[in-house]
Amino acid sequence: MDETNESPRSGGCCDWQKTVEDLSDRTQQFIREEPGKAVGVAVFAGLLLTVFPVGRVLGALVRLIFALARPLLLVLGALKIYEEFEKKQKP
């Protein structure tokens, strides 16, 4: 008797692993069944990644994150100081 008591969300941390395994299995099946289409999709994806400036987009995102990090940390620090000040004011 092979009973599994897992619900779709019961795994928690391992849901993504099952999703990746399912995607891998479906991809392998597609490649075996239709190799011509698989090569075409791979070529198209390669051309798209070559033409689309992925590096510049990711670089801009990283720069934006670092630019927003300082003000965000400053605001969070100010909020923590305010919370501590409020705790000391209340008996």
Side-chain angles (χ1 to χ4, degrees):
M1 292 190 143
D2 185 25
E3 292 183 20
T4 57
N5 294 331
E6 289 186 17
S7 67
R9 292 288 177 181
S10 68
C13 69
C14 301
D15 286 342
W16 66 271
Q17 288 176 339
K18 186 174 179 347
T19 302
V20 169
E21 288 174 5
D22 290 344
L23 181 62
S24 175
D25 292 340
R26 286 187 297 176
T27 303
Q28 288 176 6
Q29 181 182 3
F30 176 71
I31 291 170
R32 286 188 188 111
E33 290 175 359
E34 301 187 40
K37 283 185 181 179
V39 169
V41 168
V43 168
F44 179 74
L47 288 173
L48 186 66
L49 289 174
T50 301
V51 172
F52 189 67
V54 176
R56 287 187 182 188
V57 171
L58 290 177
L61 250 151
V62 168
R63 282 192 305 273
L64 178 65
I65 288 170
F66 281 120
L68 294 176
R70 282 191 211 176
L72 179 64
L73 289 174
L74 181 66
V75 169
L76 290 175
L79 284 173
K80 281 295 183 186
I81 291 172
Y82 177 74
E83 286 175 4
E84 291 298 321
F85 181 74
E86 287 293 316
K87 282 183 189 176
K88 291 189 188 252
Q89 294 296 322
K90 293 181 181 177

